[in-house]
Amino acid sequence: MEQDVDETSRGRLTKDGIRIYEPADFAGMHNAGQVAAQILDDIAPMIAPGRTTGEIDDAITRMVEAAGAESATIGYKGYQHASCISVNHVVCHGIPGPKVLKDGDILNIDVTVIVDGWYGDTSRMYVAGRLPRKSERLVQVTHDALFKGIEAVKPGNTFGDIGHAIQTFVEGERMSVVRDFCGHGLGRVFHAPPNVLHYGRPGTGPILEEGMFFTIEPMVNLGRPETKVLADDWTAVTRDKSLSAQFEHSVGVTADGVEIFTLSPGNKFHPTYD
Ligand code: MF3
Ligand code: CO
Ligand code: CO
């Protein structure tokens, strides 16, 4: 995703162009993140065989409105939906529509809302019906990879440390990390510096500072890492048609570590809750 123009003058910019927000700004990010996370909690009962991704997106559109929030994706670079829904070998940016979910499908739902001008961006995996064993492993590894990355977030570490933590974990499980898409700074804009790579070398990249807000959103494939974008200009799929999974949190760097803005209010982030 290309970066957006940041016309705000809050806080300051580092030499890498990364905005440093004020302590008071964490509350705005928390509120926006919680609205997005609550929507992902509330949509869960709807995920079942026979549902279309379009029906799910329609419900999300209504939930965004009911929360008094604004969708960050409707109208974004021509995108027309309140969510991206990426099923099976779709890596990200799946467009909701007539596709009918079937038993054993795994899907990522990605929702970004704007609340009081702050962006809350989060995604997680769901399963329609019964979760096949190899999909279960993919989903678990992808979930754990996100948290390996989050554990590396503290002042003084680098963005390369985050990417390295994710990459070594995923590749140790004999799966691959997608290179073609990355996390991003966010705050008063949707996509800002830096690009948050989900691979890398320790000690490389910009140094993390208190007040940085960004997403970590690793995409993991069971097969090879290469992707391609379909003719609709949005849908990214694995080139080898292997299954892909993704989890995303919006986080802020605190004085001694990290605040996760998009934690699930109902503890439903992982799809194998009952
Ligand atoms: N929410 C996605 C992200 O994590 C971006 C979706 S942009 C859209 O950055 F236009 F495809 F919705
Ligand atoms: Co994002
Ligand atoms: Co997202």
Side-chain angles (χ1 to χ4, degrees):
M1 195 65 37
E2 289 160 47
Q3 290 166 354
D4 306 319
V5 179
D6 183 353
E7 285 166 336
T8 63
S9 55
R10 225 168 258 267
R12 63 181 173 89
L13 291 180
T14 68
K15 66 171 168 50
D16 300 299
I18 303 168
R19 191 164 295 284
I20 306 296
Y21 287 92
E22 306 286 344
D25 296 336
F26 280 73
M29 287 299 287
H30 173 83
N31 290 339
Q34 286 301 291
V35 168
Q38 183 71 57
I39 290 169
L40 291 188
D41 278 14
D42 292 344
I43 203 66
M46 205 175 162
I47 312 308
R51 280 288 184 200
T52 70
T53 57
E55 289 168 342
I56 295 164
D57 181 70
D58 287 344
I60 290 171
T61 304
R62 290 191 292 271
M63 289 174 182
V64 171
E65 201 169 305
E70 193 187 325
S71 167
T73 55
I74 297 174
Y76 182 78
K77 298 184 178 180
Y79 195 80
Q80 293 174 5
H81 304 274
S83 63
C84 297
I85 303 184
S86 303
V87 183
N88 294 337
H89 75 298
V90 179
V91 173
C92 63
H93 302 163
I95 302 175
K99 184 179 177 61
V100 180
L101 297 177
K102 60 182 195 313
D103 188 49
D105 282 348
I106 57 168
L107 54 148
N108 174 278
I109 304 182
D110 190 338
V111 170
T112 310
V113 297
I114 312 170
V115 177
D116 299 330
W118 297 101
Y119 284 70
D121 184 6
T122 181
S123 81
R124 62 178 87 149
M125 296 302 293
Y126 300 84
V127 57
R130 295 164 299 188
L131 183 59
R133 180 61 68 87
K134 73 172 184 179
S135 309
E136 180 178 0
R137 222 186 121 236
L138 171 66
V139 168
Q140 183 74 52
V141 166
T142 310
H143 171 276
D144 294 352
L146 168 59
F147 282 90
K148 297 285 179 193
I150 291 173
E151 282 168 22
V153 177
K154 62 172 182 197
N157 277 5
T158 70
F159 281 94
D161 293 333
I162 297 172
H164 180 75
I166 293 168
Q167 181 182 11
T168 52
F169 174 70
V170 169
E171 292 178 353
E173 297 291 331
R174 294 281 170 264
M175 298 181 193
S176 64
V177 174
V178 169
R179 263 67 161 176
D180 302 336
F181 299 91
C182 56
H184 49 93
L186 83 173
R188 303 291 286 182
V189 287
F190 196 171
H191 295 106
N195 286 326
V196 180
L197 306 183
H198 304 114
Y199 58 93
R201 296 205 323 276
T204 64
I207 297 172
L208 300 178
E209 291 181 43
E210 182 180 358
M212 288 180 176
F213 298 160
F214 54 89
T215 72
I216 306 178
E217 48 182 299
M219 286 141 275
V220 174
N221 299 347
L222 272 185
R224 293 191 51 81
E226 291 82 10
T227 70
K228 67 175 180 189
V229 175
L230 300 186
D232 61 23
D233 276 346
W234 283 105
T235 311
V237 300
T238 54
R239 281 196 177 262
D240 65 4
K241 301 275 170 56
S242 67
L243 286 177
S244 188
Q246 180 179 27
F247 285 85
E248 177 177 24
H249 270 316
S250 296
V251 305
V253 183
T254 62
D256 56 0
V258 63
E259 177 175 346
I260 304 174
F261 299 125
T262 46
L263 282 176
S264 163
N267 226 339
K268 295 178 179 181
F269 193 65
H270 192 277
T272 55
Y273 61 85
D274 44 34

